[in-house]
Structure formats: structure tokens, C-alpha cells
Amino acid sequence: MRNVGIVGIGSYVPENVVTNLDLEQFVDTKDEWIVSRTGIKQRHIAPKDMPVSELCYQAGLRALEDARIAPEDVDLIIVATITPDYAFPATACLVADRLGAKKAAAFDLEAGCTGFIYAVATGSQFIASGTYKTVLVIGGETLSKILNWKDRSTCVLFGDGGGAAVLQQVEEGFGFLSFELGSDGSGGSLLSQPAGGSKCPASSETVEKNLHTLQMEGKEVFKFAVRIMGDVSLKVLEKAGLIKEDIDLLIPHQANIRIVDAAVKRLKISPDKVVINLDKYGNMSAASIPVALDEAFQAGLISEGDIIVMVGFGTGLTWGACVLKWTKVGIKND
Ligand code: UT7
């Protein structure tokens, strides 16, 4: 099996910023509540005419430029999203077309906020097995489009964005050292968009009842998240033959600062090893981890050989983590 790593990264968020004070104007909420309960201060929201494929395209383009790889050389594009442009065709096909990735296979993958971890794990297999050389993995969301902006228990939490990574073969000992993925469908109703699928097709009644919007039992998801983040991080480290002291950088899913703090406490790692950007973006679901990874790299927080743990949880319920020994040097094996 070939070793697989990230040889290019990029991200994109829409320009428009909505602060907590902005939200106070039309929802019964307070900046103080949002900051103290979640850590979120603002979020970026896509304009009405900007679909998720645009965010994914922009992020993907930046990642390919960073890797100095032409779109025509991409073998596969995977888009992780729960807010696709359409139920079908897949957003990944639309992104491939925009990029001019003419030979790329393309499909979407749905694992909620764990989507990016699931997508890199999936994309890596194609390279590890020798099937493909270059895979573009994108996590993108426009959650603003499926929120009920009158429901203060959900609408203050989320934001829009996209993050992307180019996967290629890397030197032995580098790249992804382990993955840990899981699911528990018995918790599916805790975080869902109930209408619009085959179980509850769209109708004027479903629209009237707001069933096309995101519904969440926040407290239950919170409890699950606190438990799973620490557990799965320890498991994925063990799989890689490492211990928590080996972590140079932890990139957790950015849902709530209290969830991240609980995981950090459990892992007993120094808070300065933890990447946090939820204050600026809110929860961008599948985009949260790749945007944080890109920002950490741009800020000079990542060096060759660093051990990075990325860990997430989300609808499904799903969870996932990976250990990455950082290098951006791909092996050209034409
Ligand atoms: O990526 C995965 C997706 N989601 C998550 O990870 C979210 C996980 N859950 C959470 O982060 C937290 O459960 C929330 C942030 C959603 C809620 O925090 P909480 O500390 O669990 O608050 P709560 O739901 O118990 O609500 C406490 C109070 C309630 O009022 P009462 O009943 O005590 O009078 C709520 O009505 O806060 C009220 N409340 C609000 N007040 C002001 C709920 N939302 C708001 C709000 N502004 N936006």
C-alpha cells in the first residue's frame, strides 16, 4: 500500500459576515448567550445566488494551485456536504466541470460534520491501492440555506464555507498514519433535515411546518460529542502507534468551544496545540476541519513531520478521526 498525504490545501468563505449583534436584530438571542454557550462571535453567510458548488470550486481551485497541479490531472473529486446544490446531480460533478477536471470521476459523500474525515479516508484508499494518483477532496457547506432563521436554538450556530485538500502519494512514514470512522444510525433523528427525501417528500405542508430546515436536539448532540471526541482521538492515536503526547496539532470539528475544551481536557494536551476558528465562522459542518487546517498552515503553525490529529462528529450520527504526519511533498510517479 502506498503512503498518502495532503500535498495542497485551500479554503474559501463568502465575504458577507453576520455578527451576533446582527442576529439580535431579528432573533430572540443575545451576543452574550451565544459567546458564553458556544464561543461563536460571527459567521460568514453566502448570498442567495451562491450555491455550495461555488464555495467548493473556489476552495478546490486554491488547493490545486497550492499543490501546483492542473485540474486536468485530477483523477477523482469527492465533495463532502449535507447541503448539495441539488439532490442530484452530485455537486462533485458540477465542481469538476467548473474546474475543467475532464478526466476526473466525481461523487458526493454525506457524513455531516464528519464529512471531510470520511472523504479523506475514502480518497486515500484510491491512492494507497494504486488506482489513482491525484484525488481532490472538498468539504463544503451552505448551512444558511437550510436553517430556520426563526429558531434561535439552531440558527445562531452555523456558517458557510469550503475547504479542500489534494491527496497524493508521499514518502514512506509520512501522510495518513491511521483513520478511525464510526456511525450510529439510532441517533439519526437528533440532527436531521426531515423533509425533502423519499421518507417525507416535499409538499406545501412540509414547507409550512419548516421540515426542510435543520432540526437538532442540541443537548443530546452535545453529550454525544463530548464523549466521542476524546474517545476517537485516543483510538486513532493508538492505531498509529502513538500517544497523546505525540500530538503537535489537534484540529477538532468546530461546533462549540465547550465541546472542544472537554476533548482537550480529556486528552490533557496544551490548548496552544489546538486550532480554533469557530469564533469567526461558526459551525461550517464538513468545511470546518479543512478551513481550520488551511488557516493553521497559512499561519505557519504546521511544519514538516508534525503529527496532526483531525477529529469530528456529526449527523448520522457519525464520527471520525485521522492522524497525519505532515509533508506536502508528493511523489511524482508518472
Ligand atoms: O456539528 C454538530 C452539530 N451541532 C452541535 O454540535 C451542537 C451541540 N450542542 C450544543 O452546542 C449546545 O447544546 C447548544 C449550543 C445548541 C445549546 O447550549 P445548551 O447549553 O445545551 O443550552 P440549552 O439548549 O440547554 O438552552 C439553555 C437555555 C434555554 O432556555 P431555558 O429553557 O433555560 O429558559 C434555551 O431556550 O438557553 C435558551 N437558548 C437561547 N437563549 C438565547 C437556546 N438558544 C438560545 C439562543 N439565545 N440562541
Side-chain angles (χ1 to χ4, degrees), residues 28-30 33-34 37-38 113 152-153 156-158 191 216 218-219 221-222 253 255-256 258-259 283 313-314:
D28 179 17
T29 191
K30 283 272 169 276
W33 189 96
I34 303 172
R37 297 286 180 127
T38 71
C113 307
R152 68 177 185 175
S153 71
V156 304
L157 303 173
F158 298 94
L191 177 48
M216 180 169 68
K219 254 202 182 352
V221 178
F222 187 95
H253 173 48
N256 186 321
R258 292 188 291 142
I259 294 172
N283 179 350
F313 62 92

Side-chain angles (χ1 to χ4, degrees), residues 224-259:
F224 152 73
V226 164
R227 178 173 52 79
I228 207 76
M229 291 282 270
D231 285 359
V232 73
S233 301
L234 290 172
K235 241 185 192 165
V236 81
L237 278 166
E238 193 185 336
K239 266 191 177 173
L242 298 174
I243 53 174
K244 51 194 188 216
E245 287 74 18
D246 293 318
I247 300 176
D248 293 303
L249 208 62
L250 179 76
I251 305 185
H253 173 48
Q254 310 279 317
N256 186 321
I257 193 68
R258 292 188 291 142
I259 294 172

Side-chain angles (χ1 to χ4, degrees), residues 115-189:
F116 184 74
I117 304 288
Y118 265 71
V120 287
T122 305
S124 292
Q125 309 309 313
F126 288 93
I127 298 171
S129 63
T131 305
Y132 290 140
K133 290 189 179 122
T134 305
V135 176
L136 176 62
V137 170
I138 307 172
E141 301 288 7
T142 45
L143 286 152
S144 65
K145 316 259 185 189
I146 62 160
L147 292 174
N148 175 356
W149 286 97
K150 290 183 180 141
D151 175 9
R152 68 177 185 175
S153 71
T154 53
C155 78
V156 304
L157 303 173
F158 298 94
D160 301 335
V166 180
L167 309 182
Q168 274 191 340
Q169 187 181 355
V170 295
E171 288 294 344
E172 212 180 320
F174 286 86
F176 293 104
L177 305 183
S178 61
F179 292 105
E180 175 70 24
L181 304 176
S183 76
D184 176 7
S186 70
S189 62

Side-chain angles (χ1 to χ4, degrees), residues 26 131 260 269 287:
F26 60 92
T131 305
V260 176
I269 62 170

